[in-house]
Amino acid sequence: MSYSYSPAVLLALQCAVLCFAAVAPDPIHDGEEHRTSSRTININFSGSTESAKQVPVLLNSSKHLQLSCTFNFGHPVKVIWVKGDLEIFNETALPDASGNATSTCNVSINNSNDLGSYACKSDTLNGTFNLKVPATEGREKPLVSYVGDTAVLKCKTHEPHKHSLGPLRWKWYKKSEELEKAALGENTTSDRYVVKEMFVNEKYETVLNIKSLTEEDNGIYVCSADFQVGKSSGEVNLKVLSYMVPLKPFLIIVAEVIVLVALILLYEVYSKKKQKTSDDDDKEAEQAESLKPEGTNGMEESSARQRKV
């Protein structure tokens, strides 16, 4: 059974299909930023007390930006656009029907050279756009581990948007002389280094596991996040201790106690010896005193007998 449709119905069906295709999200790039997407960022000056404003702009891929400054003063405004200390161009922004004078600077971000500080300046007003890749966070406090254990070093980066792309790659290396250029866990024969990447709580993380720690593993480890338009890095300070280190305070206390007990025992022995010597001297003195009167009486009796004769 066949059906025939009028040209109007067929046209309506084609329009419906085209509209659905335009609205339906791309299953590969849904929720992700396209590399050539455009983005508009505005700084609005509406009062004379607002002399300077800054807006941080995080970028992880190539993008076309429209940086604009709006002055709600109702009159033309002379605007100078600069990148760092280098002037890009200048113009006079004319007010629209609402009294807003807007100046726009179009910027294409393709690599790290395009990042930096862009600003619109007008008399005493200054609006700054700080373009940079997401920062990478290491660990502020040292990570303490012990010889023979496995150390787990972590770094994370905050993305500009919930569904934005993470780093293209992570690299770990030790911040010391020759090893600084050698990426750990990549093309190495040692299986002591294991690098993992993950996405946790809307943050991209990297983990470096170092097995069978030795005291030579002490040092600062750098985690580098490579984005399409630049890179950022963080640091983790690893301190490897032997098991004798935490025992040292205890051993010192034990040694002090032993010395103290020995001194007390020596003092007791000395005191007893001194007391015994004192008691012996007292006994000898008593014996001497008890013998002295008897000797004296004998001499007196002998003298009396001689006188009688």
Side-chain angles (χ1 to χ4, degrees):
M1 183 177 181
S2 60
Y3 296 92
S4 60
Y5 299 96
S6 64
V9 174
L10 292 175
L11 181 60
L13 290 174
Q14 292 177 356
C15 291
V17 172
L18 293 175
C19 292
F20 177 79
V23 175
D26 187 349
I28 298 178
H29 302 285
D30 183 23
E32 298 180 352
E33 294 182 342
H34 295 281
R35 293 185 176 181
T36 58
S37 59
S38 179
R39 184 178 172 188
T40 301
I41 306 170
N42 179 262
I43 292 180
N44 185 30
F45 292 97
S46 58
S48 59
T49 58
E50 300 173 319
S51 58
K53 288 186 177 182
Q54 292 192 12
V55 175
V57 182
L58 301 181
L59 301 169
N60 55 10
S61 61
S62 298
K63 191 176 295 297
H64 179 75
L65 299 178
Q66 290 183 339
L67 309 178
S68 62
C69 291
T70 300
F71 305 88
N72 188 14
F73 301 141
H75 57 75
V77 179
K78 179 67 178 297
V79 181
I80 301 176
W81 283 92
V82 297
K83 179 188 178 184
D85 297 328
L86 180 64
E87 179 178 340
I88 303 175
F89 71 94
N90 63 79
E91 66 176 359
T92 300
L94 302 177
D96 57 12
S98 301
N100 298 324
T102 301
S103 177
T104 301
C105 177
N106 295 311
V107 180
S108 294
I109 307 300
N110 298 311
N111 53 52
S112 59
N113 295 328
D114 299 325
L115 300 175
S117 175
Y118 294 80
C120 60
K121 297 183 178 182
S122 176
D123 296 333
T124 59
L125 302 179
N126 189 352
T128 304
F129 304 85
N130 294 315
L131 278 55
K132 54 186 178 181
V133 296
T136 299
E137 297 179 7
R139 181 185 174 95
E140 295 182 0
K141 298 181 179 179
L143 177 63
V144 180
S145 191
Y146 296 93
V147 173
D149 290 348
T150 298
V152 180
L153 287 64
K154 292 183 179 181
C155 281
K156 59 186 177 182
T157 179
H158 295 273
E159 295 303 309
H161 303 290
K162 181 177 180 180
H163 299 289
S164 59
L165 298 173
L168 298 177
R169 68 186 63 86
W170 286 97
K171 290 183 180 179
W172 282 91
Y173 59 87
K174 190 175 182 181
K175 193 176 182 180
S176 61
E177 300 177 357
E178 298 179 357
L179 293 178
E180 185 170 354
K181 296 182 180 180
L184 301 176
E186 294 184 3
N187 301 325
T188 58
T189 57
S190 175
D191 59 350
R192 295 181 59 234
Y193 305 103
V194 179
V195 178
K196 299 179 181 179
E197 301 177 11
M198 60 190 70
F199 183 75
V200 181
N201 296 330
E202 300 180 3
K203 298 177 183 177
Y204 288 92
E205 294 186 359
T206 178
V207 178
L208 171 65
N209 293 333
I210 306 178
K211 303 177 182 178
S212 303
L213 288 173
T214 64
E215 293 186 358
E216 295 180 356
D217 293 321
N218 274 302
I220 298 176
Y221 291 79
V222 179
C223 53
S224 175
D226 293 346
F227 298 93
Q228 184 184 4
V229 293
K231 62 177 61 179
S232 62
S233 61
E235 296 182 352
V236 179
N237 186 6
L238 175 62
K239 292 188 176 181
V240 182
L241 307 177
S242 67
Y243 283 101
M244 292 300 296
V245 173
L247 292 178
K248 284 184 179 179
F250 174 75
L251 295 177
I252 292 174
I253 294 175
V254 171
E256 291 178 349
V257 171
I258 292 175
V259 172
L260 181 60
V261 171
L263 292 175
I264 294 174
L265 291 176
L266 290 175
Y267 178 77
E268 290 292 333
V269 171
Y270 174 76
S271 299
K272 289 181 180 180
K273 185 176 181 181
K274 184 176 180 181
Q275 184 66 32
K276 184 178 180 181
T277 302
S278 178
D279 294 342
D280 292 342
D281 292 341
D282 292 342
K283 288 181 181 180
E284 291 178 359
E286 290 177 358
Q287 290 178 357
E289 290 294 332
S290 62
L291 294 175
K292 184 177 180 180
E294 294 178 359
T296 303
N297 291 336
M299 293 177 63
E300 291 177 351
E301 290 178 357
S302 177
S303 299
R305 290 175 182 176
Q306 291 178 358
R307 284 195 297 271
K308 288 180 179 180
V309 174

